[in-house]
Amino acid sequence: MNTNEVSYMLEIKDLKVNIEDKEILKGINLHVNAGEVHAIMGPNGSGKSTLASALAGRDYFDITHGKILYEGKDLTELAPEDRAREGIFLGFQYPVEIPGVSMVNFLRTAINSMRKYRNQEPLPAGEFLKLMREKKKIVEIDSDLTNRSVNEGFSGGEKKKNEIFQMALLDTRLAILDETDSGLDIDALRIVANGVNYLRSPENATIIITHYQRLLDYIVPDFVHVLYKGRIVKSGDKSLAKELEEHGYDWIKQEVDMDA
Amino acid sequence: MKDTLEALSTADKYIDLFRQNKKQISNGDPQFMKELREEAIHSFERTGFPLRKHELYKFTHLEPVFDGELSFQFTPRNIQFEDSDLFSCDVPMLDSNVLTVLNGFYYHPSGSLLNELDNGIIYGSLKEAIHRHPDLVARYLGKNASMQNETFVSLNTAFSQDGIFIYVPEGLQMEKPIQIIHLLLSDKNQMVHHRNLFVVEKNAKAEVIICDHTLSPQMFLTNSVTEAYTSENSDLDILRLQNEHNNSCQVTNTWISQDRASRCQHGTITLHGGMVRNNLHVRMDGEGASTSTLGLILTDKIQHVDSFTVIDHASPNCTSNQYYKGVLDDMSTGVFNGKIHVHPNAQKTEAFQTNNNILLSNTAKMHTKPQLEIYADDVKCSHGATIGQLDEDALFYLQSRGIPRDESRLMLMDAFANDVISRIRQPALQDRISELVGKRLRGELSRCNNCVMHCQD
Ligand SMILES: Nc1ncnc2c1ncn2[C@@H]1O[C@H](COP(=O)(O)OP(=O)(O)O)[C@@H](O)[C@H]1O
Ligand SMILES: [Mg+2]
């Protein structure tokens, strides 16, 4: 066996990221295999969203060191749209409202642009509508929402459901869900979790970013990592999440801050 | 000092030009027209061209353009051209009555100069209307477009000979919109004056679409005046599409007066044009009138588009809504100067104004200046102006769904422009304009041939 060619779906190697000369990620290491669900937890300001943005290709920061490999390819070489077309989906912590761009136009453009990348013809209108109807059911999204502008005037819960809806429509292989649970009531939380579980498969992987344990009652992770001050300071299985729920982050903060 | 001298000399050229060609220009004019022209040239003599430091023309110095090498045409030239060649179009036609104005003269290879329907509706050549209906025209022509300190209105009043006249008598409605196509076609650089007059009587209704096009690459300077009168409880919609080449200069002067409870919409969509100055004056003279003014400018290269608007609330209980937007690229510049004037008696006025602009490059410039002059106390007025870039968060959101950056940018620009287009009162026009603007933003629209407005059979 060639040990240099371990086929992780995602491999992050000693990733360091600066925002305006301030080091935000200070050497992240993480691998994710197809079929796995990873949870990344940690207090506010630890760098969780920054990590998610780095995976999706946002460019307001500099990657100063390290590598991100996705299916063996250097992800940082790819434009955000091409990462999406390779199957990476970022569920935003704060989905943007885009007045004047209708959901229907947005979704059709997105789907067809993915298809074009795979040398497929645009989806005929009828099939597109059918696909929408089908995927709407997964997240119990109100039909009316798809007639509106992207996220405009959506409630917090609707915005998050809309993210999961898009994840389902866009042939996602690696989903990164950034605090998809925050601000949700129990019903919405359950729907979002059902959506994620529905799409769970041996070919796909999910990274769930959260700072509560709550969501993990519904989506059982294979691994739990704690991100603190730009580093993964602890990894474990789902029992780590329980531990955090009971004792908070203070004990971890103390451990880390004592070392430093 | 230098400015003053130059101002004198360019103005003098035009005064001389008028005196020398007066016979031809006013050939066949009834007395009132002769007097109006004299009054106009005198008023122009007093005013001259706006100086470089003139507050209202600060960013748009027009005198050098008027001083350029230009030819003048005082009689209609019967240029033959193949309509179908010029106006082939892949989108179904707009169902409208098309009136063509070529280099300032009503163009009628066949058909009559003036259409006079049994019910009293009149449309066609203004020159012909002046001959056939001098009393009717005299009641309105020049009554609205002020010549007081208005260089360009004065010049136009002195020089213009033709254009389009529309008259809709009480209680009537035109079956189809009128589409006026101003065409410029010449083998020399040329100056063109033309004049439109629209009169909509009590309870009547009219829709007018004006398209400004250049058909040959010569430099054109157009100075046009459109006057419109809306009587009690009437409706008038005017939508102007400017699509001249970037080596042209266009000054439009639009004066609208509104009587009691009339509803008016005026829109200007500027797709192409080198230097464009659009002066719009709307005066609400009757109680309960409402007006909506729309503007959309799309500029690139070294285009310059200056929108100057005055909304005059001269009566109580009137409403005005103004939405002007601009998308500016490359080294292009835009100006928005929007004045809302609420007279002391105009209580319960509601006046709203927005001017939003997106700069696509860091060399494009936009100057925006809202001016509220409010002399009544019981009013609701608001204004807002923004100059910004495309929203990076929105762009990233679209990209993160697999949509390439260029296409994402176009989607955002389309959305931005559609905010104006969706306010056009005739739904049939919205799609057409939207498509046209989309083409413009994609760089696929260069001239008439690509235009979706139609034009000729
Ligand atoms: N656009 C930005 N500009 C400057 N600093 C930022 C920006 N985004 C995040 N940061 C900083 O980076 C750190 C990590 O933020 P973030 O990744 O959002 O943390 P988390 O998602 O874990 O709450 C914080 O200190 C935050 O202030
Ligand atoms: Mg975050």
Side-chain angles (χ1 to χ4, degrees):
Chain A
M1 188 175 135
N2 187 343
T3 48
N4 288 329
E5 277 189 33
V6 187
S7 53
Y8 295 119
M9 182 181 226
L10 178 73
E11 186 177 13
I12 302 173
K13 288 194 215 168
D14 202 20
L15 181 71
K16 296 181 182 174
V17 165
N18 277 15
I19 301 180
E20 288 160 2
D21 295 333
K22 189 176 162 223
E23 193 164 68
I24 304 293
L25 299 183
K26 300 174 179 168
I28 302 277
N29 289 292
L30 181 71
H31 359 108
V32 176
N33 285 308
E36 293 175 350
V37 173
H38 290 241
I40 297 179
M41 305 182 69
N44 267 331
S46 301
K48 303 183 298 293
S49 292
T50 305
L51 176 61
S53 299
L55 294 175
R58 189 74 206 251
D59 63 358
Y60 59 82
F61 45 70
D62 304 314
I63 294 179
T64 54
H65 184 82
K67 272 210 164 72
I68 309 173
L69 299 178
Y70 173 69
E71 296 180 329
K73 278 173 287 194
D74 183 354
L75 204 55
T76 56
E77 301 274 298
L78 291 184
E81 56 267 32
D82 290 334
R83 299 184 195 201
R85 291 152 141 188
E86 292 286 348
I88 293 180
F89 179 88
L90 172 62
F92 285 78
Q93 181 171 4
Y94 305 107
V96 199
E97 299 196 5
I98 315 182
V101 175
S102 72
M103 278 295 296
V104 172
N105 182 27
F106 161 61
L107 294 172
R108 194 189 299 120
T109 310
I111 285 174
N112 285 336
S113 137
M114 300 270 191
R115 291 176 67 88
K116 190 172 172 190
Y117 190 70
R118 297 190 298 254
N119 291 320
Q120 291 169 321
E121 292 292 308
L123 202 61
E127 281 181 50
F128 169 71
L129 292 174
K130 205 173 121 211
L131 185 67
M132 294 249 289
R133 267 199 304 276
E134 201 178 290
K135 303 291 183 185
K136 265 183 200 166
K137 281 189 213 138
I138 300 174
V139 284
E140 299 174 28
I141 203 166
D142 189 340
S143 277
D144 179 53
L145 291 183
T146 47
N147 295 324
R148 309 230 298 253
S149 289
V150 177
N151 292 321
E152 195 185 31
F154 288 25
S155 70
E158 286 166 345
K159 281 182 181 163
K160 297 300 171 78
K161 282 197 223 169
N162 191 23
E163 296 293 288
I164 304 299
F165 175 51
Q166 292 170 46
M167 173 179 97
L169 271 175
L170 296 175
D171 296 326
T172 302
R173 309 216 20 248
L174 172 63
I176 303 139
L177 305 177
D178 191 0
E179 307 230 11
T180 303
D181 53 334
S182 58
L184 296 189
D185 61 27
I186 286 295
D187 271 351
L189 189 69
R190 187 184 45 78
I191 291 169
V192 164
N194 284 350
V196 174
N197 287 328
Y198 176 88
L199 296 162
R200 207 166 169 172
S201 83
E203 289 81 46
N204 298 344
T206 307
I207 299 173
I208 292 172
I209 295 171
T210 177
H211 78 232
Y212 307 105
Q213 178 314 117
R214 208 171 60 142
L215 181 65
L216 305 180
D217 289 340
Y218 298 90
I219 307 168
V220 183
D222 301 299
F223 300 94
V224 174
H225 312 275
V226 178
L227 185 63
Y228 178 55
K229 288 192 172 169
R231 286 195 182 88
I232 291 181
V233 293
K234 223 172 189 60
S235 293
D237 61 14
K238 60 182 195 250
S239 63
L240 177 55
K242 281 268 181 278
E243 218 171 321
L244 290 167
E245 173 79 353
E246 277 160 34
H247 307 292
Y249 287 110
D250 284 352
W251 60 282
I252 290 188
K253 286 184 188 175
Q254 272 166 17
E255 266 181 42
V256 174
D257 294 341
M258 237 145 60
D259 286 352
Chain B
M1 249 348 252
K2 192 161 172 282
D3 267 343
T4 326
L5 280 177
E6 274 177 8
L8 275 177
S9 64
T10 315
D12 282 347
K13 279 187 203 168
Y14 279 87
I15 295 163
D16 279 357
L17 188 73
F18 178 76
R19 298 271 177 243
Q20 276 162 27
N21 296 281
K22 198 163 107 179
K23 248 185 119 171
Q24 256 189 328
I25 294 169
S26 60
N27 183 27
D29 273 355
Q31 191 56 29
F32 87 89
M33 276 304 297
K34 289 202 165 87
E35 284 166 14
L36 196 57
R37 286 190 202 284
E38 282 305 322
E39 189 193 331
I41 202 73
H42 283 303
S43 136
F44 173 70
E45 227 169 334
R46 278 192 303 275
T47 319
F49 283 98
L51 300 182
R52 197 178 286 279
K53 42 190 171 288
H54 194 297
E55 184 59 27
L56 305 183
Y57 284 86
K58 194 154 78 183
F59 300 106
T60 308
H61 194 48
L62 287 162
E63 192 189 331
V65 188
F66 279 73
D67 202 25
E69 249 183 57
L70 297 160
S71 63
F72 303 87
Q73 182 191 330
F74 299 111
T75 50
R77 230 183 296 157
N78 243 340
I79 303 174
Q80 289 302 320
F81 58 86
E82 196 57 56
D83 292 340
S84 55
D85 283 356
L86 291 169
F87 304 121
S88 64
C89 172
D90 48 0
V91 174
M93 290 184 19
L94 183 67
D95 192 16
S96 64
N97 285 317
V98 175
L99 304 175
T100 306
V101 176
L102 176 64
N103 299 343
F105 294 92
Y106 185 62
Y107 179 76
H108 57 102
S110 58
S112 65
L113 282 167
L114 197 62
N115 303 283
E116 302 198 47
L117 310 187
D118 291 340
N119 57 16
I121 288 179
I122 305 173
Y123 59 93
S125 157
L126 175 65
K127 193 182 176 76
E128 185 65 12
I130 291 171
H131 289 301
R132 288 199 213 166
H133 305 281
D135 294 344
L136 177 62
V137 175
R139 273 213 297 281
Y140 299 101
L141 195 72
K143 294 289 187 288
N144 198 348
S146 164
M147 297 199 283
Q148 200 68 40
N149 295 319
E150 292 286 343
T151 301
F152 302 102
V153 175
S154 301
L155 259 188
N156 176 282
T157 309
F159 281 94
S160 64
Q161 298 180 58
D162 205 354
I164 297 301
F165 176 65
I166 301 175
Y167 180 76
V168 189
E170 185 173 336
L172 294 181
Q173 177 176 345
M174 309 224 45
E175 256 176 50
K176 294 177 183 180
I178 295 270
Q179 190 175 4
I180 301 173
I181 302 161
H182 291 136
L183 295 178
L184 298 169
L185 176 65
S186 178
D187 50 6
K188 289 190 287 259
N189 293 353
Q190 188 168 333
M191 159 132 218
V192 171
H193 282 102
H194 57 72
R195 184 136 188 154
N196 299 318
L197 175 62
F198 311 147
V199 179
V200 186
E201 295 283 24
K202 199 170 158 183
N203 302 327
K205 198 171 174 179
E207 289 169 15
V208 185
I209 302 134
I210 302 176
C211 299
D212 298 311
H213 287 299
T214 40
L215 294 183
S216 61
Q218 282 70 22
M219 193 275 169
F220 290 97
L221 169 59
T222 310
N223 177 34
S224 67
V225 171
T226 298
E227 280 181 281
Y229 297 82
T230 63
S231 308
E232 191 177 329
N233 195 38
S234 64
D235 284 274
L236 174 65
D237 291 16
I238 301 174
L239 184 74
R240 183 167 209 136
L241 273 173
Q242 301 181 305
N243 193 19
E244 299 193 348
H245 62 57
N246 288 356
N247 188 28
S248 68
C249 174
Q250 189 180 14
V251 183
T252 71
N253 305 275
T254 305
W255 295 73
I256 299 172
S257 75
Q258 290 189 247
D259 208 336
R260 170 188 292 272
S262 63
R263 292 158 297 269
C264 187
Q265 180 168 74
H266 185 276
T268 312
I269 315 275
T270 310
L271 300 166
H272 278 291
M275 189 182 211
V276 181
R277 164 77 176 210
N278 292 315
N279 295 317
L280 172 66
H281 294 251
V282 180
R283 186 181 162 93
M284 281 170 281
D285 280 322
E287 201 169 338
S290 63
T291 192
S292 135
T293 50
L294 307 177
L296 179 62
I297 67 169
L298 308 165
T299 63
D300 57 10
K301 309 212 173 67
I302 54 164
Q303 278 185 265
H304 176 82
V305 181
D306 181 341
S307 311
F308 176 87
T309 67
V310 178
I311 312 292
D312 235 334
H313 280 264
S315 281
N317 282 309
C318 295
T319 309
S320 66
N321 282 291
Q322 184 167 29
Y323 292 91
Y324 270 62
K325 287 194 159 192
V327 181
L328 299 98
D329 201 355
D330 301 332
M331 315 261 289
S332 64
T333 46
V335 183
F336 173 77
N337 191 325
K339 183 164 147 183
I340 296 175
H341 182 176
V342 181
H343 295 235
N345 65 323
Q347 299 299 354
K348 307 276 182 205
T349 286
E350 291 190 14
F352 304 101
Q353 178 189 79
T354 22
N355 175 233
N356 300 321
N357 303 284
I358 288 180
L359 303 181
L360 298 176
S361 75
N362 44 25
T363 43
K365 272 205 184 68
M366 181 73 205
H367 308 275
T368 175
K369 186 180 177 195
Q371 271 180 283
L372 267 52
E373 289 182 14
I374 300 173
Y375 301 104
D377 44 31
D378 186 11
V379 301
K380 275 190 214 155
C381 293
S382 74
H383 67 91
T386 59
I387 300 170
Q389 277 89 42
L390 288 174
D391 179 355
E392 275 300 328
D393 291 332
L395 273 176
F396 182 66
Y397 191 82
L398 296 174
Q399 282 180 272
S400 76
R401 300 308 184 238
I403 304 171
R405 187 169 175 89
D406 282 351
E407 201 168 339
S408 302
R409 283 165 59 93
L410 283 169
M411 284 175 83
L412 295 185
M413 287 190 265
D414 266 336
F416 182 79
N418 271 318
D419 182 37
V420 173
I421 297 167
S422 63
R423 297 173 201 272
I424 295 174
R425 285 209 290 188
Q426 304 106 280
L429 271 180
Q430 288 182 10
D431 289 350
R432 238 160 249 281
I433 304 294
S434 180
E435 185 177 339
L436 205 52
V437 165
K439 274 189 172 181
R440 170 67 178 94
L441 291 171
R442 282 164 186 76
E444 292 163 8
L445 180 81
S446 50
R447 50 179 297 164
C448 228
N449 308 46
N450 319 108
C451 176
V452 294
M453 289 309 289
H454 112 48
C455 293
Q456 219 87 340
D457 305 338

